[in-house]
Amino acid sequence: MKISIITVTYNSARTIQDTIDSVLSQTYKDIEYIVVDGDSSDNTIEIIKKNQKRFEGNLKWLSEPDSGIYDAMNKGIRISTGDVIGILNSDDFFTSSTIVSEIVARFFVADCDAVFGDVHYVKDSNLSLPIRYYSSSRFKRWKMRLGYMPAHPSYYVYKTIYDKYGLYSTNYKIVADFDLLLRQIFINKIKISYLDKDFVTMRLGGASSSGIKSHYTIFYEHLRVFKNNDVYSNVFLLGLRYICKIYEVFLFRIKNIVNFKKK
């Protein structure tokens, strides 16, 4: 089984080497790595070129203007040749070297269309200290009406699913990933499998974690997604998600404090 991992970059010179190193560190070797760059003005492309030989022919990259991150992801999907596709952001990296091997094993064991797991967030100043954990363990299809979805950076799905149900919509600024998963998981009910594993370490500061303005945009784009896909939800149901998120963050911080005091 070939796995295509797609990384979208734009002026990512500060972090892209960590991302590349984490892909190369994987024990599973049938990986096609695709980098789609949005015509960076820093030395992102130089870093990619410098690492090209290390991939022994399994790296594809292109650099050209695009219409945003989801347009770039779609470009990567179109040129991919893997059986399964996953997205790894340019400021993120795999949490361990066995992640892809374990994902592949789960596809065979569960006989499913998609596999997903957990991710955690860190600050750039300390990449080894988790400050938030996003667990997909409690995900259920019906919870998508509340705006829930599996952690997108942990989501691996057969390319044939994209062929059947379409790519990322470029009509949304932030929530095209939710729209995509809603179409695949909720509407078309593909077979999914949760793997209890921390897949990806994510630096804070992405489009969906950059303050109150982004949360406002996410909220109203979620409503648009439901309307455009004829799925019923409302302001109250979406509001419940934010209450739950506050509770989860509070519990995680309490757990960290307790663990710190035990040391």
Side-chain angles (χ1 to χ4, degrees):
M1 176 187 286
K2 181 190 287 188
I3 307 296
S4 292
I5 298 173
I6 298 169
T7 295
V8 172
T9 61
Y10 180 70
N11 291 343
S12 304
R14 187 175 59 85
T15 60
I16 187 62
Q17 188 63 58
D18 288 344
T19 309
I20 290 171
D21 287 342
S22 79
V23 174
L24 286 166
S25 75
Q26 293 301 298
T27 56
Y28 192 80
K29 297 307 178 185
D30 196 2
I31 293 176
E32 173 186 62
Y33 190 45
I34 299 172
V35 180
V36 183
D37 181 73
D39 196 21
S40 290
S41 58
D42 65 1
N43 65 329
T44 298
I45 298 304
E46 285 70 22
I47 294 171
I48 295 167
K49 289 179 178 178
K50 181 184 72 175
N51 286 276
Q52 193 153 11
K53 288 184 179 180
R54 299 175 67 197
F55 282 92
E56 299 178 347
N58 293 315
L59 169 65
K60 295 179 181 178
W61 67 272
L62 59 91
S63 182
E64 61 187 23
D66 55 50
S67 301
I69 188 171
Y70 298 114
D71 179 37
M73 288 179 183
N74 287 340
K75 290 180 181 180
I77 292 168
R78 290 188 185 103
I79 66 173
S80 66
T81 61
D83 303 292
V84 168
I85 297 174
I87 306 291
L88 185 65
N89 298 325
S90 63
D91 49 359
D92 303 340
F93 52 90
F94 287 115
T95 302
S96 78
S97 62
T98 63
I99 297 299
V100 176
S101 292
E102 294 181 65
I103 291 170
V104 170
R106 176 52 62 97
F107 270 104
F108 286 115
V109 170
D111 188 25
C112 57
D113 298 310
V115 171
F116 58 88
D118 304 339
V119 301
H120 75 274
Y121 295 83
V122 296
K123 289 184 178 178
D124 213 19
S125 57
N126 190 344
L127 300 181
S128 63
L129 179 64
I131 61 172
R132 182 189 163 202
Y133 195 87
Y134 187 134
S135 175
S136 302
S137 60
R138 294 189 180 92
F139 174 77
K140 304 293 182 185
R141 289 181 206 271
W142 65 267
K143 286 187 176 181
M144 297 199 82
R145 289 190 188 274
L146 280 66
Y148 278 102
M149 67 177 185
H152 181 242
S154 76
Y155 188 73
Y156 284 72
V157 62
Y158 277 107
K159 186 176 182 180
T160 53
I161 298 300
Y162 287 106
D163 296 336
K164 285 182 181 179
Y165 306 124
L167 305 179
Y168 292 93
S169 170
T170 56
N171 294 321
Y172 306 104
K173 292 181 180 178
I174 300 179
V175 303
D177 50 358
F178 178 77
D179 170 70
L180 180 96
L181 269 63
L182 185 77
R183 283 184 277 121
Q184 292 182 1
I185 297 173
F186 186 86
I187 296 173
N188 292 292
K189 295 180 171 55
I190 67 170
K191 188 176 179 182
I192 56 178
S193 180
Y194 168 70
L195 177 58
D196 186 9
K197 188 79 178 179
D198 180 5
F199 285 19
V200 176
T201 301
M202 303 179 64
R203 289 177 173 89
L204 281 178
S208 62
S209 62
S210 54
I212 294 174
K213 186 177 180 180
S214 72
H215 288 296
Y216 179 88
T217 303
I218 290 169
F219 189 87
Y220 284 97
E221 283 200 342
H222 270 141
L223 292 175
R224 283 181 55 213
V225 167
F226 289 126
K227 182 178 180 180
N228 292 340
N229 287 286
D230 294 321
V231 174
Y232 176 76
S233 187
N234 56 45
V235 172
F236 174 73
L237 289 176
L238 284 179
L240 290 175
R241 171 174 165 265
Y242 286 93
I243 295 172
C244 293
K245 282 182 69 174
I246 292 170
Y247 178 69
E248 288 172 0
V249 170
F250 174 76
L251 284 182
F252 182 72
R253 290 186 176 177
I254 291 295
K255 182 180 178 181
N256 274 356
I257 291 171
V258 171
N259 289 338
F260 178 78
K261 287 182 177 180
K262 286 180 179 178
K263 292 180 180 180

